[in-house]
Amino acid sequence: MGRSEPGIAAFRCCRHVFVANGALRRGPEWAQYATSSRWPASWIYAREARTLLAYERRIAGRFNRTLFVSAAEAQLFVGRAPECAGRVGHFSNGVDTDYFDPTLDHPNPYPAGGPIAVFTGAMDYRPNIEAVQWFVEAILPLLQQSCPQARFFIVGSNPARSVRQLAEAAGVTVTGRVEDVRPYLRHAQAVVAPLRIARGIQNKVLEAMAMERPVVATAAAAEGIDPQGRALHGIADSPDAFAAATARAFQAGPQPQARQRVVEAFSWGSHLRLVDELIAADSTEPAARQPVELSVPMRP
């Protein structure tokens, strides 16, 4: 599936700087699940959210700096752990733009037919499961009213039973794990990210943008990626608006401005250099932590 920088996949740490990602950012998600799930799942999610927050606060207290992969996540953590406020900052997630290069030759994996919207991601992950369920149940029927031949491909490993069952709907294909996601991005007419629960910068969106695909996303999935509204093809939160934006994306063609946004603002090299500089700077400081305001803003 997608390719992430190896040192960032879960977390990267040394004596002075801690970079939080992955599991350590699930607390807010679980708190949301607690409000939307029935008992006893609601109780379990609420307990896990409290337990994880306590762990996060304890871990953050052991480091001079704690960095998150978006400004919104850093602010959220400070609100939940105010004692860490002076030592929390952020840098952006990113993708390998040499790997996700639309000029590389990739064979078309799709059978002949109508225009294709694709969703990529781990399909045993609850936000992804709920996203494709919402698309198939609420958005795709509207899309097929204006584009009767529209097809939806769900590309990702370990599809849950509820995801596999979506293939029973007209025009829906569930691929399971694929060796290389790039052909599925390269040859889709649109890439959709209908996530209603999302934390941090969504790599699935960055990967599609790097491949110059028209991307339609919810506001949650687009958070922190395109503040000026120039790189994503559409941002929509209602079924009607999402279907209409996807229909327009089918006709849009390559989006070089989307790739340019990724190259300029989400390059692994530039972001990880910032982390290396922080590590080097902190290594020269006294062991005792000083509350230093830290912010690594994204480029506009």
Side-chain angles (χ1 to χ4, degrees), residues 21-52:
N21 198 355
L24 293 185
R25 296 156 44 225
R26 296 283 166 79
E29 284 183 10
W30 289 340
Q32 284 186 272
Y33 296 159
T35 62
S36 61
S37 301
R38 296 180 179 179
W39 192 91
S42 59
W43 179 86
I44 294 171
Y45 281 125
R47 180 185 181 280
E48 289 300 301
R50 292 193 302 269
T51 303
L52 185 55

Side-chain angles (χ1 to χ4, degrees), residues 109-134:
Y110 299 116
I116 291 168
V118 66
F119 178 94
T120 64
M123 295 316 306
D124 56 354
Y125 178 47
R126 178 170 170 173
N128 289 346
I129 294 170
E130 293 181 349
V132 295
Q133 287 177 323
W134 184 52

